[in-house]
Amino acid sequence: MNNLAPSSEVLAGAPTKVVEIIDLEKRFGDRVILNRVSLDLYEKENLVVLGRSGSGKSVLIKCMVGLLKADGGSINVLGYQVPLLSVHELNELRLQVGFSFQGSALYDSMTIRQNLEFPLKRNLRIFDQEVLNEKVMQALKDVGLENTVDMNPDELSGGMKKRIGIARTLILKPKIMLYDEPTSGLDPVTASEINELILQVRDTYHTASIIITHDISCARQVSDRMVALIRGESKLQGTFDELRGRNDEDLKHFFNY
Amino acid sequence: MTIPKTLIGIADVYKFIVRFFRSALVPPYEWREIGNQCYAQGNQSLFLITFTSFLAGVVFTKQSQPSLASFGAESWLPSLVSQAVVRSLGPLITGLICAGKLGSNMGAELGSMQVTEQIDAMEVSGTRPFSYLVVTRIVSATLMLPILVIYADCVALLGSFVMVNAFNDSSFLLFFNEVAERITYLDVFGSLIKSAFFGLAIGTISTYAGYHSDKGTTGVGKAANTAVVISMISVFIIDLLTLQVLNFFR
Ligand SMILES: Nc1ncnc2c1ncn2[C@@H]1O[C@H](COP(=O)(O)OP(=O)(O)OP(=O)(O)O)[C@@H](O)[C@H]1O
Ligand SMILES: [Mg+2]
């Protein structure tokens, strides 16, 4: 085997980059949260970003969709230079990037159906009830929760909320998915089901995904490639087995060796 | 709070207000959601307004009656009441009730949406949460307050009539004839414009407090609290300012 090949990405034939982040910096006041974070994401790939609580994982993906403003470096998502976008361009980009929130962020004054219809009506301006119905049911079927369509978010368990949150972003058929701690706070069985769902989303919709987590079993199950976020810097890119084989001091808590 | 922080705060509020006008005046307009909000806001405050303005009418009449009677001027009671209610009592009661009821509602609702990242979720799906959540609430408060004031005026005058009737059997028609005689167009329009400003202030202050609430559960409580307190103060300030302006025209 060619030992210049760093990981699976080269073996898969030259895939296109969909995200390129170079030397991203983010501060809150004097506190430096992200300091020179660089990472790439390729088509149809699941990239896991591993990091401890408070290491700035959520901040990283919020910068990618313009929810937070970066203080330095460049973020290129699907060819858009995120920090420089106009409101209109940002909107165009956001249609193509799905964001699953750490706390699901379902709209609690609306039913599940209204939650899913909301982006369709307000962003794509679809008002035909038949089309809406069809799309809603398809998205719910993708996450295996068709029977919750007329429930309220507060009637659902944490795992179900996570799935609905994912369905609400899938309904816009994004090219890139960003998952913020998809398995946090879930029991191992439910967590494993969510991981299955993430893989299934990649395979059916051919999305590229960034999965943020500190859950090592999630990382093992879903990752094609991983990058560790340590003290505000991105370190150690590679596959799961490569990272485990490094015996790195900073990663040992995650891998338990 | 330090001076730079205060300045940043003022700049933030200014940006918020500019953003409101910009989003409110540019299509697409949010008619349907404005309608929903109008209904919800009316619904939330109607009972309290009915209760308090009726009692205010009763109490004001009962308190004024003896002093007027001591001048032998009891027959002036309806005109005194009508001036007091339309110019001052009705708008003030409605303004304060709405500051409390609508203010806390908007502050807490938007605050908890902010804290649970629902507003961020709307933002990243490109659904313009500012227009949907903020603009609709401010516009409907501005529309609803004058309507609620007219209603409060009527209820307060009704309360007053009940009291007048208890002193001496006067007829309903006679009472309202005297009331209507003393009220000028300036009184009515002045009070309506004043209350529209109440609504604008309550809506802007409360949605700002909620939309910019701190993260964490304490943030929601703080947002609701700020919304109510500042809204109430602003009602009094606007009341004072409009009085000054209206006195030019009298
Ligand atoms: N809006 C903000 N204002 C100020 N500080 C913030 C803000 N958002 C995040 N931070 C700070 O940035 C740091 C990283 O936060 P972040 O939410 O990205 O952590 P995380 O890696 O996602 O952790 P967790 O696993 O607990 O979600 C934290 O110390 C937090 O206090
Ligand atoms: Mg996080």
Side-chain angles (χ1 to χ4, degrees):
Chain A
M1 205 174 95
N2 179 1
N3 50 8
L4 284 177
S7 62
S8 53
E9 77 211 46
V10 174
L11 299 177
T16 358
K17 256 186 212 177
V18 286
V19 176
E20 183 178 53
I21 297 178
I22 304 170
D23 288 340
L24 173 65
E25 282 179 35
K26 177 68 195 171
R27 290 181 295 270
F28 289 110
D30 322 325
R31 286 174 59 217
V32 179
I33 306 293
L34 298 177
N35 183 20
R36 293 207 303 278
V37 170
S38 302
L39 58 85
D40 299 324
L41 177 71
Y42 296 91
E43 249 183 354
K44 299 178 205 162
E45 162 188 61
N46 279 354
L47 174 70
V48 165
V49 177
L50 196 64
R52 295 181 51 182
S53 205
S55 56
K57 302 181 298 303
S58 300
V59 170
L60 169 67
I61 51 172
K62 282 183 182 166
C63 288
M64 289 177 59
V65 290
L67 276 179
L68 291 172
K69 219 171 157 60
D71 294 309
S74 84
I75 309 172
N76 188 317
V77 181
L78 294 169
Y80 295 89
Q81 282 293 335
V82 174
L84 311 174
L85 296 181
S86 68
V87 177
H88 180 70
E89 289 166 324
L90 197 56
N91 208 21
E92 264 176 24
L93 171 64
R94 284 168 171 174
L95 259 181
Q96 304 173 51
V97 180
F99 197 123
S100 152
F101 282 83
Q102 196 164 346
S104 309
L106 299 184
Y107 311 134
D108 47 22
S109 58
M110 309 180 194
T111 65
I112 302 303
R113 180 194 301 280
Q114 289 165 334
N115 260 279
L116 298 188
E117 283 175 351
F118 192 75
L120 296 177
K121 283 182 176 166
R122 288 190 58 85
N123 199 335
L124 298 182
R125 312 203 71 71
I126 301 174
F127 294 102
D128 183 344
Q129 198 55 50
E130 233 161 77
V131 180
L132 287 173
N133 257 343
E134 192 186 314
K135 282 182 182 280
V136 167
M137 291 322 289
Q138 180 59 44
L140 286 176
K141 207 165 132 209
D142 285 340
V143 299
L145 287 175
E146 293 116 300
N147 52 342
T148 60
V149 65
D150 288 313
M151 291 189 182
N152 282 319
D154 52 16
E155 297 172 71
L156 304 183
S157 71
M160 290 158 106
K161 281 187 194 164
K162 282 263 159 75
R163 283 163 181 266
I164 299 292
I166 294 172
R168 190 178 61 189
T169 59
L170 282 181
I171 208 163
L172 292 171
K173 297 267 160 16
K175 296 204 175 90
I176 299 176
M177 282 292 292
L178 306 174
Y179 299 93
D180 196 346
E181 310 214 3
T183 59
S184 72
L186 301 179
D187 69 86
V189 178
T190 316
S192 184
E193 284 169 10
I194 299 275
N195 294 339
E196 284 299 324
L197 176 60
I198 292 173
L199 288 173
Q200 185 199 321
V201 167
R202 179 194 61 186
D203 295 339
T204 39
Y205 291 100
H206 307 298
T207 51
S209 312
I210 293 182
I211 300 112
I212 282 192
T213 190
H214 49 64
D215 170 7
I216 201 70
S217 57
C218 166
R220 182 175 50 228
Q221 213 175 332
V222 304
S223 69
D224 296 319
R225 215 156 51 84
M226 293 175 55
V227 52
L229 197 61
I230 291 157
R231 286 182 292 276
E233 294 181 38
S234 51
K235 288 172 67 175
L236 305 165
Q237 305 208 15
T239 62
F240 184 83
D241 291 325
E242 283 169 353
L243 253 66
R244 189 165 57 181
R246 297 267 174 91
N247 273 329
D248 190 274
E249 193 56 26
D250 289 315
L251 292 184
K252 77 173 182 226
H253 302 294
F254 290 110
F255 290 104
N256 292 322
Y257 41 64
Chain B
M1 229 185 353
T2 57
I3 292 176
K5 258 195 185 159
T6 315
L7 289 180
I8 291 174
I10 292 173
D12 261 2
V13 174
Y14 173 74
K15 267 192 258 169
F16 187 84
I17 293 172
V18 170
R19 194 172 170 197
F20 161 68
F21 281 107
R22 215 181 269 150
S23 330
L25 298 176
V26 174
Y29 304 111
E30 315 271 348
W31 295 124
R32 178 194 284 269
E33 185 58 19
I34 289 176
N36 290 343
Q37 284 301 326
C38 283
Y39 177 77
Q41 291 178 359
N43 218 3
Q44 281 159 22
S45 49
L46 200 64
F47 171 73
L48 266 178
I49 289 178
T50 312
F51 184 71
T52 44
S53 33
F54 187 81
L55 282 190
V58 168
V59 169
F60 184 82
T61 312
K62 193 166 169 63
Q63 274 177 347
S64 321
Q65 198 266 343
S67 33
L68 281 183
S70 69
F71 296 119
E74 224 181 329
S75 58
W76 287 7
L77 199 51
S79 38
L80 175 73
V81 170
S82 71
Q83 294 257 310
V85 163
V86 173
R87 283 190 184 178
S88 173
L89 267 181
L92 197 60
I93 288 172
T94 314
L96 289 178
I97 294 282
C98 288
K101 193 77 190 166
L102 305 185
S104 60
N105 241 312
M106 291 185 216
E109 206 174 357
L110 295 194
S112 68
M113 289 188 78
Q114 179 64 264
V115 169
T116 56
E117 298 186 309
Q118 291 177 48
I119 294 182
D120 284 346
M122 288 187 179
E123 195 79 53
V124 293
S125 54
T127 47
R128 293 170 290 114
F130 193 87
S131 317
Y132 184 75
L133 298 172
V134 173
V135 172
T136 54
R137 280 173 173 74
I138 300 180
V139 169
S140 53
T142 313
L143 296 177
M144 280 313 279
L145 259 275
I147 297 175
L148 288 171
V149 163
I150 294 178
Y151 173 75
D153 286 352
C154 295
V155 175
L157 289 174
L158 194 70
S160 167
F161 168 72
V162 169
M163 211 59 232
V164 169
N165 208 28
F167 294 134
N168 46 16
D169 255 349
S170 83
S171 89
F172 190 74
L173 269 182
L174 193 67
F175 177 81
F176 274 92
N177 246 340
E178 281 178 64
V179 163
E181 221 160 69
R182 290 293 303 190
I183 302 175
T184 63
Y185 280 116
L186 185 64
D187 288 338
V188 174
F189 281 117
S191 98
L192 290 187
I193 287 168
K194 175 163 81 176
S195 41
F197 275 110
F198 286 169
L200 187 64
I202 292 169
T204 312
I205 291 162
S206 310
T207 51
Y208 177 84
Y211 206 77
H212 289 269
S213 101
D214 296 341
K215 301 278 173 189
T217 25
T218 48
V220 181
K222 228 174 89 188
N225 198 40
T226 313
V228 173
V229 173
I230 311 276
S231 296
M232 284 193 172
I233 294 174
S234 77
V235 164
F236 283 108
I237 294 177
I238 292 171
D239 204 19
L240 187 68
L241 291 180
T242 43
L243 180 65
Q244 298 296 329
V245 173
L246 284 178
N247 277 348
F248 269 133
F249 296 101
R250 286 210 171 103

